[in-house]
Amino acid sequence: QKEVEQNSGPLSVPEGAIASLNCTYSDRGSQSFFWYRQYSGKSPELIMFIYSNGDKEDGRFTAQLNKASQYVSLLIRDSQPSDSATYLCAARGGSQGNLIFGKGTKLSVKP
Amino acid sequence: DGGITQSPKYLFRKEGQNVTLSCEQNLNHDAMYWYRQDPGQGLRLIYYSQIVNDFQKGDIAEGYSVSREKKESFPLTVTSAQKNPTAFYLCASSNGLAGGPHEQFFGPGTRLTVL
């Protein structure tokens, strides 16, 4: 069974700190990885995707991928209360290329 | 504006009724998906379609049916055979499955409640 694992949290960080969200995946054939943000009662919105080992930066967000360790992370610098949401990690791979989603990590940024 | 629309936003169903959830996209995406989300859970794939007139079952297709008669439309029917249909239903689309990241974009969702 292909799985994506995330710590459910809640992860609580003070405003202005760095939030670190982690994700592991079981399918070594996974090619690309996605981070979605989901506010309560809303649909997921794409923050970033990454498919090469290393770091990818976009504004306050940095995605990190380590295929050897089957590990993906998302760093949020200068965290704001508006970043408080559930963050979903997803991996694409396998014969059909569908996304496998983790259950999400709930982040709370305290003012 | 390009995007994905879902209707209705809220839907109430009585036991034994079939209901159809609408999903429309004007992004010219080839692939469309239906997911179900339960409280505290991740997204589970119900059905997906890569091209018009073709679709495949996902991980939890029992009690659901779909059609893909037009590229921009992918309606989901929740049948009376689905024993626990109360959930948040999300439709997504992407520009294809093979190659590239092909990220998925989501509609606003339909919250279905069985009375």
Side-chain angles (χ1 to χ4, degrees):
Chain A
Q1 181 78 353
K2 298 171 185 174
E3 293 182 335
V4 172
E5 299 283 347
Q6 295 181 256
N7 188 324
S8 62
L11 173 66
S12 183
V13 300
E15 184 175 356
I18 296 175
S20 178
L21 304 162
N22 305 313
C23 169
T24 58
Y25 59 95
S26 63
D27 181 11
R28 281 198 173 275
S30 295
Q31 298 296 315
S32 47
F33 306 87
F34 304 82
W35 283 101
Y36 288 85
R37 177 177 62 200
Q38 186 175 26
Y39 292 113
S40 181
K42 303 296 185 182
S43 63
E45 54 180 321
L46 181 67
I47 299 175
M48 293 185 71
F49 65 84
I50 186 168
Y51 49 87
S52 299
N53 271 330
D55 295 359
K56 179 181 179 183
E57 187 174 319
D58 183 1
R60 296 187 297 112
F61 299 96
T62 299
Q64 299 175 316
L65 174 60
N66 183 326
K67 289 187 177 180
S69 300
Q70 295 177 245
Y71 178 89
V72 191
S73 65
L74 179 71
L75 301 178
I76 306 174
R77 290 182 299 282
D78 189 24
S79 296
Q80 301 296 310
S82 59
D83 294 325
S84 297
T86 296
Y87 289 80
L88 302 173
C89 174
R92 158 171 284 133
S95 60
Q96 297 298 318
N98 289 331
L99 293 188
I100 307 297
F101 284 85
K103 294 183 178 180
T105 297
K106 187 172 184 178
L107 172 66
S108 177
V109 181
K110 303 294 186 184
Chain B
D1 281 340
I4 305 172
T5 58
Q6 291 185 244
S7 62
K9 185 174 182 180
Y10 297 98
L11 184 58
F12 298 91
R13 191 194 93 171
K14 292 182 180 179
E15 294 276 355
Q17 280 184 335
N18 292 353
V19 291
T20 297
L21 283 58
S22 169
C23 177
E24 304 276 333
Q25 54 98 1
N26 62 3
L27 301 168
N28 200 33
H29 284 170
D30 293 313
M32 297 186 74
Y33 312 82
W34 275 105
Y35 293 92
R36 168 182 173 142
Q37 187 176 36
D38 295 282
Q41 300 296 312
L43 277 62
R44 293 186 290 169
L45 183 63
I46 304 173
Y47 268 98
Y48 63 100
S49 168
Q50 300 179 42
I51 56 172
V52 175
N53 293 322
D54 187 48
F55 49 83
Q56 286 80 38
K57 292 181 179 180
D59 299 319
I60 56 165
E62 185 175 353
Y64 300 97
S65 65
V66 293
S67 63
R68 186 89 186 274
E69 298 177 0
K70 298 185 295 183
K71 186 176 184 177
E72 58 271 23
S73 179
F74 191 40
L76 173 74
T77 297
V78 184
T79 75
S80 57
Q82 171 48 239
K83 298 305 178 188
N84 186 22
T86 295
F88 189 39
Y89 290 86
L90 290 158
C91 178
S93 70
S94 71
N95 63 0
L97 290 180
H102 295 299
E103 59 270 39
Q104 292 182 16
F105 298 96
F106 286 86
T110 292
R111 196 165 298 277
L112 173 63
T113 302
V114 173
L115 302 174

